[in-house]
């Protein structure tokens, strides 16, 4: 059975991701195709839809912030420790999704509002790669349409989307949200017609406030030319999370991106996985070769005698330094025994006193001398 597609919703804070998720959930329930919803945003206070997996059940956002991040609320990396905690448990999430896969039609994933911490951190890459390696994954980049009417803001969003696309290498859909407030026709025209974007730039340059300088205008001209190829690989839809307009178009775009995933991303994934397995096998073989080489080196130690040294059969082989030391000790003891036979005189029943007396009286009168000494002791005056 085919794996259900996973829709990962990303976007700037305030772009309407949570409301968009609610609309997708309601639309699929209306079609009797309930999705499996995963909330990866630990700081969201109110979630207007039921979640099957909620990161808030295992991660206390405030406690993590107190533990890892300074009290200054302006620190931009305050969401990073939470993403790290999330990456540590992604295997469990994937395991649950794989068990539920035969009974669900879609997997909806809501991501943290601090998109820079989620997309560009190593932990965020672990999460996206793990999900994409198990399910056909599509990125839905949500844009706040009323705040994108300026050419500079529009270009900033496009550059952000471009960087996310080339960072994750996943199929992407640009979702212009809140079209009930502002129609997204102008944005689609800017993406498909370079002349229309140039006209919008000139119009903003003629404004009295001079918000766009000549340098900024030239920069955006250059970037719009560069992004022309980027636009060709995107599907663009305009939706209203409030009214539900454009949701059907969004799911049609998801189906087309799933085919793109199978055609382009999946072969690259299999290729990368095969390369990792081959590298792992090569590393194991290299370690095994090193082990065998070390064993051969240890087996061919200095057990064999040199050619110019003759060792008798009765002499033991010297394997280690300790054996050599023992051999030297034995040799010293043997030398000492030889000296004892010639110098020490400890042979037969002779004592050291006997040898001393024989040296003093070589004529053999030691007994008479001993008697005279005894008589002098007796006759000595008291």
């Amino acid at each position: 059975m085919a794996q259900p597609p996973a829709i990962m919703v990303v976007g700037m804070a305030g772009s309407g991701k949570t409301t968009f998720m609610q609309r997708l959930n309601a639309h699929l329930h209306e079609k009797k195709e309930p999705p499996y919803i995963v909330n990866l945003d630990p700081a969201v206070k109110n979630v207007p839809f039921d979640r099957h997996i909620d990161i808030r059940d295992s991660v206390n956002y405030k406690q993590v912030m107190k533990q890892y991040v300074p009290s200054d609320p302006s620190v931009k990396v305050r969401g990073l420790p939470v993403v790290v905690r999330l990456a540590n448990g992604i295997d469990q999430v994937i395991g649950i999704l794989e068990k539920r896969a035969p009974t669900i039609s879609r997997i909806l994933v809501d991501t943290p509002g601090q998109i820079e911490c989620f997309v560009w951190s190593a932990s965020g890459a672990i999460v996206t790669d793990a999900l994409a390696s198990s399910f056909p994954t599509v990125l839905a980049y949500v844009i706040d349409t009323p705040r994108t009417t300026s050419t500079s803001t529009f270009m900033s969003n496009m550059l952000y989307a471009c960087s996310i696309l080339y960072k994750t290498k996943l199929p992407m859909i640009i979702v212009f949200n809140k079209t009930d407030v502002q129609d997204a026709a102008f944005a689609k025209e800017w993406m498909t017609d370079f002349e229309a974007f140039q006209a919008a730039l000139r119009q903003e340059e003629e404004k009295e406030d001079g918000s766009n300088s000549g340098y900024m205008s030239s920069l955006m001209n250059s970037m719009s030319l560069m992004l022309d190829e980027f636009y060709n690989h995107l599907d663009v839809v305009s939706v209203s999370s409030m009214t539900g307009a454009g949701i059907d178009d969004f799911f049609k775009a998801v189906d087309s991106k799933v085919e793109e995933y199978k055609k382009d991303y999946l072969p690259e994934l299999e290729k990368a996985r095969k390369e990792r397995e081959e590298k792992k096998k090569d590393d194991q073989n290299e370690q095994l070769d090193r082990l065998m080489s070390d064993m051969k080196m240890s087996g061919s130690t200095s057990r064999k005698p040199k050619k110019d040294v003759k060792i008798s059969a009765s002499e033991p082989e010297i394997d280690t330094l300790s054996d050599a030391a023992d051999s030297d000790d034995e040799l010293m003891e043997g030398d000492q025994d030889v000296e004892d036979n010639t110098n020490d005189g400890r042979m037969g029943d002779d004592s050291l006193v006997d040898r001393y007396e024989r040296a003093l009286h070589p004529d053999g009168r030691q007994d008479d001398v001993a008697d005279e000494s005894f008589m002098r002791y007796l006759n000595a005056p008291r």
Side-chain angles (χ1 to χ4, degrees):
M1 183 176 179
Q3 294 284 69
I7 304 172
M8 184 174 289
V9 181
V10 297
M12 296 289 188
S15 60
K17 296 190 303 297
T18 303
T19 310
F20 179 66
M21 285 278 296
Q22 180 186 14
R23 177 55 62 181
L24 296 180
N25 181 41
H27 183 82
L28 291 174
H29 273 89
E30 185 180 355
K31 289 192 171 185
K32 308 300 181 182
E33 298 176 357
Y36 200 86
I37 300 179
V38 180
N39 175 41
L40 300 183
D41 189 356
V44 63
K45 294 182 179 180
N46 298 318
V47 181
F49 48 83
D50 294 332
R51 291 85 54 204
H52 298 88
I53 298 177
D54 197 337
I55 190 63
R56 296 179 300 174
D57 296 336
S58 57
V59 174
N60 188 335
Y61 175 76
K62 294 183 178 179
Q63 189 66 28
V64 172
M65 291 302 98
K66 289 180 181 179
Q67 184 177 358
Y68 290 98
V69 182
S71 58
D72 185 5
S74 64
V75 178
K76 294 298 182 183
V77 296
R78 59 185 180 273
L80 190 57
V82 179
V83 179
V84 174
R85 292 283 187 90
L86 172 61
N88 293 334
I90 191 61
D91 291 339
Q92 299 178 1
V93 175
I94 297 299
I96 296 173
L97 293 177
E98 289 177 345
K99 291 180 180 179
R100 302 293 184 182
T103 60
I104 56 179
S105 61
R106 301 282 197 285
I107 299 173
L108 303 181
V109 182
D110 192 10
T111 60
Q114 282 193 314
I115 188 174
E116 66 276 7
C117 291
F118 181 77
V119 175
W120 279 283
S121 65
S123 301
I126 292 174
V127 174
T128 55
D129 291 345
L131 186 64
S133 62
S134 302
F135 302 95
T137 305
V138 178
L139 291 177
Y141 182 70
V142 182
I143 297 176
D144 189 350
T145 307
R147 297 183 180 180
T148 317
T149 55
S150 171
T151 55
S152 59
T153 309
F154 170 81
M155 187 56 61
S156 299
N157 272 288
M158 292 300 104
L159 290 175
Y160 225 106
C162 180
S163 62
I164 294 173
L165 175 65
Y166 288 104
K167 176 67 172 62
T168 60
K169 297 181 178 63
L170 291 173
M172 176 180 285
I173 302 173
I174 299 294
V175 180
F176 286 100
N177 195 16
K178 304 179 183 180
T179 54
D180 55 305
V181 179
Q182 174 67 52
D183 190 5
F186 73 94
K188 293 181 179 179
E189 185 180 11
W190 288 352
M191 295 177 69
T192 55
D193 189 353
F194 176 75
E195 296 297 334
F197 186 74
Q198 294 293 317
L201 280 176
R202 289 191 297 268
Q203 184 177 359
E204 289 188 358
E205 286 179 358
E206 295 174 357
K207 289 183 178 180
E208 295 181 358
D209 56 0
S211 58
N212 279 339
S213 63
Y215 169 76
M216 288 298 297
S217 177
S218 176
L219 178 62
M220 284 190 286
N221 274 325
S222 301
M223 289 190 296
S224 62
L225 288 172
M226 177 195 69
L227 293 176
D228 185 61
E229 183 67 21
F230 166 68
Y231 296 148
N232 295 330
H233 294 82
L234 295 177
D235 284 1
V236 182
V237 295
S238 56
V239 301
S240 172
S241 299
M242 186 64 65
T243 63
I247 298 298
D248 289 326
D249 295 335
F250 172 77
F251 280 110
K252 290 179 182 178
V254 169
D255 294 337
S256 66
K257 288 301 178 181
V258 168
E259 296 300 323
E260 180 181 334
Y261 168 91
K262 296 177 181 179
K263 179 182 177 181
D264 298 331
Y265 182 82
L266 194 57
E268 292 293 330
L269 178 65
E270 294 296 334
K271 180 181 178 181
R273 184 179 299 171
K274 186 179 296 184
E275 290 177 355
R276 286 195 300 268
E277 292 178 355
E278 292 178 354
K279 187 177 182 302
K280 185 177 180 180
K281 290 181 180 179
D282 293 340
D283 293 341
Q284 291 177 349
N285 293 333
E286 184 179 357
Q287 293 177 2
L288 182 60
D289 292 340
R290 289 180 180 177
L291 178 62
M292 297 300 295
S293 177
D294 293 341
M295 292 177 65
K296 290 180 181 178
M297 291 293 292
S298 62
S300 60
T301 54
S302 58
R303 290 176 176 270
K304 297 182 179 180
K306 296 182 180 180
K307 293 182 179 180
D308 57 345
V309 178
K310 294 182 179 180
I311 299 178
S312 63
S314 61
E315 293 181 356
E317 295 182 354
I318 298 176
D319 292 339
T320 61
L321 294 176
S322 60
D323 294 338
D326 295 340
S327 178
D328 293 340
D329 294 340
E330 292 175 359
L331 182 59
M332 292 176 65
E333 292 177 359
D335 294 341
Q336 185 177 1
D337 291 340
V338 175
E339 293 179 357
D340 289 343
N341 292 336
T342 57
N343 300 325
D344 197 8
R346 298 192 181 188
M347 297 176 60
D349 297 330
D350 290 346
S351 64
L352 181 60
V353 176
D354 296 335
R355 292 188 59 200
Y356 181 75
E357 293 295 340
R358 283 197 299 269
L360 291 178
H361 306 283
D363 53 355
R365 296 176 56 199
Q366 63 273 16
D367 294 335
D368 297 338
V369 174
D371 293 339
E372 292 176 359
S373 298
F374 183 71
M375 291 301 296
R376 283 197 300 271
Y377 174 76
L378 291 177
N379 297 325
R382 297 289 189 270

